Amino acid sequence: MDRSLAGRAALGRFDRSFRPGATPRARLARGAARAARARRRLWRPPRVRVPLAGAALGFVWHRRRLRFAAIALALAAGLLAGGWLWLRHSSLAAVRRVQISGVHGPEARAIDAALRTAARHMSTLDPHVGALRAAVAPFTVVRELRATASFPHSLRIHVLEQLPVAALVSGGTRTAVAADGVVLGPALLLGSLPTLTARAAPPAGQRIGDRALNEALAVLGAAPAPLAGLVQRVETGAQGLAVVMRGGLTAYFGDRSRPHAKWLSLALVLASERSAGASYVDVRVPARPAAGFAAGTGPPGAQAASSGSAGEGVGNPATAAALEAGLAAAVSREQGEGGPSRTSTSGEEPSAPASGEGQAGASPSAGAGANSAPGAGSEGSERAGH
């Protein structure tokens, strides 16, 4: 064996070349391993610490009675939930009796049949109002539905309709339209509906975009039943909205503000004997209505009224205050019975109607209240119609 210094040096170099990890590839592998460990140390999953929940769970779990009670409660909750799901869709809660209210007009039978068909597939413990709305979606006259279920087998459905208040005439075609501007289609046209003229009529189910037409529809929608059947058309002129009755009488409304008060004011004026033969009635300020007559004519007893009798005439403050109080009470009573609320205040005094016509007060005396408006309004309107 070579024991020289050169031989020992060569042997040492030979041994180091075969030592594990001495090669460049091994050094690269060790570096990659260290880099991977460093990356794992940089990212660690977040630790969710719930000390209170853990302490409570440990407190219950280490006590035998509490542990058994918790297990029993979890099982009972699962059984109750499963039983509720089964009962809700079982025949024990199936809808078998359906009561429908609020349906009128020519489409009443079709709406009733559609609602009953949809309700038969429901449960009183889980009524689907959305399915009922989808069943009557083709009927534009239906505005809203209200469903009330009574266990075990009863379901009451109340239909809120948007009935036609006018016939919209455009390019030789006629279609019914509701008070909120929704076009209902020609199937709901009635012969007694007043007419409105428009340049173009939207398709059924859509709303009218014209502002003037919407104001006229709002006024027509607030009309009482005795007067609504006597309206022929609504026009827009120098005095604003003008409602033309079938007998030729014109009622100046001005705008859509306080429509209920204006209709009741018109009914009170027409109920007065002094309004017989009037050509127009101005109700733009409901507290101070005025009846106008053609040139050369006048109201009955006009001379007696001009002599200054107490309590008569539109200009009398006591009469105006009493009329305003009666109208406010009538409007509040009408709204309390479910009537729509579209009233607002209007503080401007109306301008005089067209020249060439006489104007005289035709409001009732202070003793006449709003209680006489409904019945008297129909009588006075018929008189004006003739």
Side-chain angles (χ1 to χ4, degrees):
M1 184 174 185
D2 188 3
R3 296 179 179 271
S4 62
L5 181 59
R8 287 197 297 270
L11 183 59
R13 287 195 303 271
F14 181 81
D15 293 339
R16 283 196 299 270
S17 64
F18 287 92
R19 190 177 302 166
T23 62
R25 182 175 299 177
R27 287 195 297 270
L28 291 176
R30 284 200 307 273
R34 284 194 299 268
R37 286 195 297 270
R39 284 195 299 270
R40 285 195 296 269
R41 282 195 299 269
L42 290 176
W43 182 88
R44 292 181 180 179
R47 296 180 180 179
V48 180
R49 297 181 179 180
V50 189
L52 295 179
L57 183 60
F59 178 80
V60 172
W61 189 256
H62 289 90
R63 285 160 177 79
R64 185 176 181 181
R65 292 184 178 180
L66 292 179
R67 183 168 67 248
F68 287 161
I71 295 174
L73 183 60
L75 293 176
L79 291 176
L80 289 176
W84 170 258
L85 292 176
W86 173 82
L87 178 62
R88 188 174 61 174
H89 299 287
S90 67
S91 59
L92 298 177
V95 175
R96 296 178 183 176
R97 293 186 297 272
V98 183
Q99 300 176 3
I100 301 176
S101 60
V103 182
H104 309 87
E107 296 182 340
R109 290 187 178 182
I111 295 173
D112 188 277
L115 289 175
R116 292 183 183 276
T117 302
R120 297 292 182 183
H121 299 85
M122 296 184 184
S123 169
T124 56
L125 298 178
D126 187 24
H128 292 283
V129 183
L132 296 176
R133 293 194 183 101
V136 296
F139 305 99
T140 55
V141 71
V142 178
R143 179 168 57 91
E144 186 55 70
L145 294 175
R146 297 175 182 172
T148 304
S150 300
F151 185 81
H153 303 296
S154 298
L155 181 64
R156 294 188 298 273
I157 304 174
H158 182 66
V159 180
L160 301 177
E161 294 183 327
Q162 45 187 10
L163 298 177
V165 297
L168 191 65
V169 180
S170 174
T173 62
R174 292 167 56 89
T175 181
V177 61
D180 57 355
V182 176
V183 178
L184 304 178
L188 298 177
L189 281 174
L190 300 176
S192 60
L193 290 176
T195 58
L196 292 175
T197 304
R199 296 180 180 178
Q206 295 187 7
R207 294 182 181 272
I208 297 176
D210 188 86
R211 180 178 180 181
L213 290 178
N214 284 324
E215 290 192 354
L217 291 172
V219 170
L220 291 175
L227 297 180
L230 299 176
V231 179
Q232 183 177 8
R233 66 184 183 275
V234 179
E235 300 175 347
T236 302
Q239 285 78 32
L241 291 175
V243 177
V244 181
M245 313 298 284
R246 297 191 183 277
L249 177 70
T250 302
Y252 295 112
F253 277 69
D255 53 20
R256 60 179 296 175
S257 63
R258 308 184 65 188
H260 297 90
K262 291 178 181 179
W263 280 109
L264 292 174
S265 180
L266 176 62
L268 289 174
V269 171
L270 294 179
S272 175
E273 295 181 355
R274 299 180 60 198
S275 65
S279 60
Y280 71 87
V281 178
D282 192 339
V283 293
R284 286 177 289 181
V285 177
R288 297 178 177 272
F293 299 83
T297 62
Q303 295 179 356
S306 63
S307 62
S309 59
E312 296 290 341
V314 176
N316 189 288
T319 301
L323 180 58
E324 180 70 17
L327 292 177
V331 171
S332 63
R333 183 172 62 253
E334 182 185 17
Q335 294 176 359
E337 294 174 356
S341 176
R342 285 194 294 261
T343 59
S344 61
T345 58
S346 176
E348 296 183 359
E349 195 75 19
S351 59
S355 60
E357 295 181 350
Q359 181 175 345
S363 63
S365 62
N371 294 332
S372 63
S378 61
E379 180 182 358
S381 299
E382 292 175 358
R383 186 188 305 114
H386 294 295

